[in-house]
Amino acid sequence: MRALDRDILRLAVPALGALAAEPLFLLADTAMVGHLGPEALGSLAIASTILQTVLGLMIFLAYATTPRVARRLGAGDTPGAIGAGFDGIWLALITSGVLLVIGLPLIDTAIGWFDPTPEVAAGASAYLTISWWGLPFMLTVVAATGLLRGLQDTRTPLYVAAGGFLSNIGLNALFIYGLDMGVAGSALGTLIAHLGMCAIYLVIAVRAARRTGASLRPDWAGVIRAARTSGWLLVRNGSLRAAMILLIVLATGLGTVQLAAIQVIQTMFNALALVLDSLAIAGQALIGLELGHRRRERVAAINRRLIQWGIGFGVVVGVLLAAASPVLGAVFTGDPEVAALIGTLALILAAGMPIAGYVFTLDGVLMGAEDARYLALAQFGALLGYAVLLLLVFTQWSTVHVLWACFGIGFVAFRAISLGWRVRNDGWIRRAESRS
């Protein structure tokens, strides 16, 4: 058991820092933009929801790559493992090109769906237009991270993420305050930080390929296979983002103050979820590796231990969050009404953290087993359950606290039920072995 814990921590602890990079970027944006006023926070809420929806949908570039790389590594095919990683990188570049062509002309239309005030809409458009040009860098970072995780290396992504986060803070301070660019300056600082991270990852990946003799050219059969197998994860991620969009749309209807508070608390949820997801990354890498070795008992042991870690981790995070709730609002905004709402919403968020720890851990376990179809169907089922919950509860008590509880506890609980059912026996392991 101690050896297993060491393996989990060896991957999970560095992954914690790397996973936190993107939400930390957004937290830094939120904290700096928050002091510009509620309208600026509202702009960031809408723009970041759209951008994070795209990034959330595209996270399959890492989550589909990691288990494929790990399984080939476990089977002793290191050049093939790196080649599978480059399939993901090429897919990221192709996907980002398509998104640029299709997405740029539709930015203002997408913002209009939220029906914001003119001031909020103008800020959201400025932020999103600049950020959209950074998608190739962001998606390449996602895919290259999946390659390194599959190779059982979570330390390098930690170092790259830390450098990116620190540079992002400095750049944002310069552009937002020094050059008085406001919300647009926040987007520009984040874009430049991602550009630097992308360049570092590409240098690392190319050197690894040359060292092992792996080809840098796209294997179009592999790229197509990666796209096909990622389809179910796209459905899964789409269901999650649909739930979050519904949250923001309903919050927008409650008012600017409520929308600003939900933006902060949703950002905190995303950050904490990815903190908990560090265990899921360990699960993806370890389970993919052990399936490559075809060690079924080891796979089952990893799953059991990760569940224990996930729930325990969620309890600790929830307690710390509840303790900090009285002062959290002042960190993100100078508006007393928004700050008060953030404090009470943080308590609801804290209550859901143990369930979230269980859910995100099982997500990683089943991704490691490449059980993408079930993950997609389970997530879609949770979305339907969340919609029914909103219909039954939020329509009767239309407050921001009820709205957040429906998402932060209700939606997460629906996911916990469906994923727990899947791992109730070893059938998921046998199905994973048959995919080899």
Side-chain angles (χ1 to χ4, degrees), residues 180-250:
D180 196 25
M181 293 179 62
V183 176
S186 174
L188 181 58
T190 303
L191 182 151
I192 295 173
H194 276 104
L195 171 61
M197 294 170 66
C198 176
I200 293 171
Y201 273 124
L202 287 178
V203 169
I204 292 171
V206 169
R207 286 179 177 177
R210 289 176 176 171
R211 218 172 28 243
T212 60
S215 175
L216 298 177
R217 296 179 180 178
D219 174 7
W220 294 115
V223 172
I224 293 171
R225 186 164 54 252
R228 186 183 303 118
T229 57
S230 298
W232 284 112
L233 288 180
L234 183 61
V235 173
R236 170 202 173 270
N237 298 341
S239 298
L240 174 60
R241 298 314 304 182
M244 303 189 85
I245 289 174
L246 184 56
L247 171 71
I248 291 295
V249 169
L250 293 175

Side-chain angles (χ1 to χ4, degrees), residues 11-371:
L11 294 171
V13 172
L16 174 59
L19 280 168
E22 195 60 44
L24 283 175
F25 283 155
L26 193 51
L27 280 171
D29 287 351
T30 302
M32 292 182 178
V33 170
H35 292 283
L36 299 177
E39 288 78 14
L41 262 181
S43 297
L44 182 61
I46 293 174
S48 64
T49 296
I50 296 171
L51 183 62
Q52 293 300 314
T53 294
V54 173
L55 293 176
L57 290 172
M58 296 299 110
I59 199 67
F60 69 79
L61 293 168
Y63 287 173
T65 300
T66 295
R68 293 201 312 272
V69 172
R71 187 173 290 203
R72 293 192 183 187
L73 184 67
D77 182 13
T78 301
I82 294 174
F86 267 95
D87 291 342
I89 291 174
W90 281 109
L91 181 60
L93 292 172
I94 294 168
T95 302
S96 60
V98 172
L99 289 171
L100 281 174
V101 172
I102 295 176
L104 282 172
L106 298 176
I107 283 176
D108 289 336
T109 300
I111 292 171
W113 292 339
F114 293 84
D115 194 24
T117 64
E119 294 81 5
V120 171
S125 180
Y127 184 97
L128 192 56
T129 299
I130 294 172
S131 298
W132 208 260
W133 285 103
L135 284 177
F137 313 131
M138 296 178 191
L139 297 190
T140 300
V141 166
V142 170
T145 301
L147 165 60
L148 292 178
R149 288 172 185 165
L151 294 174
Q152 314 296 295
D153 177 8
T154 56
R155 288 185 180 273
T156 299
L158 169 62
Y159 301 143
V160 176
F165 174 63
L166 292 175
S167 64
N168 183 64
I169 291 178
L171 289 166
N172 280 8
L174 171 64
F175 294 138
I176 294 174
Y177 303 127
L179 299 180
D180 196 25
M181 293 179 62
V183 176
S186 174
L188 181 58
T190 303
L191 182 151
I192 295 173
H194 276 104
L195 171 61
M197 294 170 66
C198 176
I200 293 171
Y201 273 124
L202 287 178
V203 169
I204 292 171
V206 169
R207 286 179 177 177
R210 289 176 176 171
R211 218 172 28 243
T212 60
S215 175
L216 298 177
R217 296 179 180 178
D219 174 7
W220 294 115
V223 172
I224 293 171
R225 186 164 54 252
R228 186 183 303 118
T229 57
S230 298
W232 284 112
L233 288 180
L234 183 61
V235 173
R236 170 202 173 270
N237 298 341
S239 298
L240 174 60
R241 298 314 304 182
M244 303 189 85
I245 289 174
L246 184 56
L247 171 71
I248 291 295
V249 169
L250 293 175
T252 302
L254 293 176
T256 301
V257 169
Q258 289 81 359
L259 174 61
I262 284 291
Q263 160 61 15
V264 172
I265 211 70
Q266 178 191 246
T267 302
M268 292 175 59
F269 173 83
N270 291 336
L272 292 172
L274 289 180
V275 168
L276 295 170
D277 211 23
S278 61
L279 293 171
I281 296 303
Q284 288 180 43
L286 289 173
I287 286 179
L289 184 69
E290 297 302 331
L291 285 171
H293 287 307
R294 304 193 71 83
R295 295 196 286 237
R296 184 181 300 180
E297 292 183 1
R298 177 77 169 176
V299 171
I302 292 170
N303 174 53
R304 289 192 298 269
R305 193 57 174 167
L306 281 171
I307 289 174
Q308 294 170 0
W309 273 93
I311 295 173
F313 201 6
V315 170
V316 171
V317 170
V319 169
L320 293 175
L321 182 61
S325 61
V327 299
L328 282 176
V331 174
F332 293 98
T333 180
D335 186 291
E337 192 173 358
V338 176
L341 277 180
I342 291 171
T344 54
L345 291 174
L347 292 174
I348 300 173
L349 175 60
M353 280 294 102
I355 308 174
Y358 176 75
V359 165
F360 285 98
T361 298
L362 284 184
D363 255 345
V365 166
L366 293 176
M367 285 180 189
E370 299 184 85
D371 201 358

